[in-house]
Amino acid sequence: MSHSPTGEIYRIDWLPGTDVLHGTCHCGAEHSAQDPVEMWEWMLGHPEGHEPRGSAS
């Protein structure tokens, strides 16, 4: 099976000493959560809940 790269990078960091995960989406939006399922749903739920860095609301 061959997959072509999408260029999308998702990053989830665990904040040591806490139960908090901090995610950065390929669009630059950031989100923190304790539940890994919530984090992945947020990351993969474009465009709902995403506001890239530098965007004014």
Side-chain angles (χ1 to χ4, degrees):
M1 180 186 289
S2 175
H3 295 283
S4 61
T6 63
E8 295 177 352
I9 297 173
Y10 299 88
R11 180 181 177 120
I12 297 177
D13 295 308
W14 166 65
L15 302 179
T18 72
D19 291 334
V20 177
L21 300 170
H22 182 79
T24 305
C25 187
H26 66 88
C27 72
E30 296 182 53
H31 181 73
S32 293
Q34 290 187 349
D35 181 10
V37 173
E38 176 188 340
M39 179 62 69
W40 279 110
E41 286 175 348
W42 173 83
M43 284 200 160
L44 299 174
H46 276 278
E48 290 183 32
H50 283 75
E51 202 159 310
R53 282 182 285 212
S55 63
S57 304

